[in-house]
Amino acid sequence: MPLSTKDQLRRPLAYINLNALRHNLEVVRARAGGAKVFAVVKADAYGHGMVACAQALRTLADGFVVSTLGEADILRKSGITQRIMVLQGFMDASEARFAARLMLEPVVHQPWQVELIEKTSLGLPLSVWLKIDTGMHRIGIPPELARSLHTRLLDSGRLRHAPGLMTHFARADEADTSATQQQLAVFHAATEGLDGERSLANSAGVLSGAAQGTLGDIVRPGIALYGSNPLEYGSAADLGLKPVMRLATCLVAVQAQHKGEAVGYGGRFVCPEDMPMAVASVGYADGYPRVTASGTPVAVNGKIARLAGRVSMDLITLDMRGVHAEAGDTVELWGESIAVDEVAQAAGTLGYELLCAAGRACRRVYLPVTESEG
Ligand SMILES: *Cc1c(COP(=O)(O)O)cnc(C)c1O
């Protein structure tokens, strides 16, 4: 093997299992009460590669969701012909025309965007989603404006069909569903009797069951597709979700350390006895958070070793008591043996952030789709 290839294998790789992605979409669909499933592939499909994921899902998903028109453009250029919802919508008339030309479905979340549609010739009819702020207080129009803006959009004569009506849950991940119930009530009051499709739920909204029976026409799962638990409780495995990303690297050294020796920056791990330690080629530059706590599991040859001491830029140190391994052996940071959510918890964050960061930092290797699996 030439040096370059061998050397690449010493750095972490993000293996992406597209069959697991497809499986997870079916898990969500089974819980979606007959709603259409639009796969959220913003943020480069949460680090998994937007185009590869959209291609893998093209025969399963009813549509896709991205943040920006630029992302939607890339999907169209890669041959995606399904519906595409664009969460951040358009910022000016030329962007609105662009959306119409590419048959995209931008989200309208501010009154001036309605005015722009009324005043501007778009070349082609446009499909839009009117986003109502039912409690998230991030983007969306106030519920009391829903009726009048909906009417104005219809009356503009520039739409392909009645505007879709959507909202987004702020707390659907929590075991206490009262905030979600509140948002549902606001949404229903604001939109009752209005024409148009409804879209309410993210992954947590679908899988928590909190919006059972009121999921509307289209659900918008993101994180669940990538095999991370969208809920604050339970686990991805309990929900039947399979990990899509496996972040793996190799050991660069295994060596004995003496009792009392302090390992790594800040001497944060002190060997309680004479013991084997190992060094693996991954660190915070690769998206493995620096704040990950000592004791976090790391799988080495299928056995559980423990993170020991501070995470460095591109190395971590491992407590190898009970684990036999040699330099060159494979280390899994998350994936099959260790849930990304477990590492996220040990780093005080969520699977979302880890997947996005590692997917951006590491080279991705795709396991091809086998249509029979799923
Ligand atoms: C990101 C996003 C989603 C997907 O959320 P997940 O928690 O990843 O399922 C759905 N809808 C909107 C408006 C979003 O911004």
Side-chain angles (χ1 to χ4, degrees), residues 21 44 52 73 90 93 141 158 160 181 194 209 211 234 246 296-297:
L21 179 73
D44 208 13
D73 187 29
F90 54 84
I141 55 140
R158 300 199 199 274
R160 196 173 289 279
Q181 304 301 344
L194 299 181
R246 175 171 179 268
T296 301

Side-chain angles (χ1 to χ4, degrees), residues 37-50:
V37 181
F38 279 27
V40 181
V41 294
K42 68 191 180 191
D44 208 13
Y46 296 39
H48 296 69
M50 178 179 71

Side-chain angles (χ1 to χ4, degrees), residues 233-241:
Y233 50 92
S235 72
D238 293 344
L239 294 166
L241 301 171

Side-chain angles (χ1 to χ4, degrees), residues 248-287:
T249 187
C250 74
L251 289 182
V252 294
V254 180
Q255 54 215 348
Q257 298 290 357
H258 293 296
K259 178 177 179 174
E261 272 164 346
V263 175
Y265 290 117
R268 296 285 281 263
F269 180 83
V270 178
C271 296
E273 57 184 317
D274 289 356
M275 58 183 280
M277 297 286 302
V279 181
S281 181
V282 64
Y284 57 78
D286 307 303

Side-chain angles (χ1 to χ4, degrees), residues 134 136 167-172 180 183-184 200-202 205 211 220:
T134 57
M136 173 87 171
T167 193
H168 189 45
F169 296 133
R171 301 174 65 174
T180 302
Q183 286 195 256
L184 283 168
L200 294 92
N202 54 359
R220 309 185 306 270

Side-chain angles (χ1 to χ4, degrees), residues 13 15 245-252 254 278-282 288 292 295-308 316-326 328-340 342-343:
L13 294 174
Y15 295 92
M245 183 190 292
R246 175 171 179 268
L247 185 65
T249 187
C250 74
L251 289 182
V252 294
V254 180
V279 181
S281 181
V282 64
Y288 193 84
T292 311
T296 301
V298 173
V300 182
N301 296 333
K303 292 249 168 60
I304 300 298
R306 304 267 163 196
L307 186 67
I316 55 174
T317 39
L318 301 175
D319 173 346
M320 295 290 282
R321 285 177 289 179
V323 182
H324 180 77
E326 300 170 15
D329 285 354
T330 299
V331 176
E332 178 189 294
L333 290 316
W334 63 69
E336 301 293 332
S337 305
I338 293 165
V340 66
E342 190 174 350
V343 182

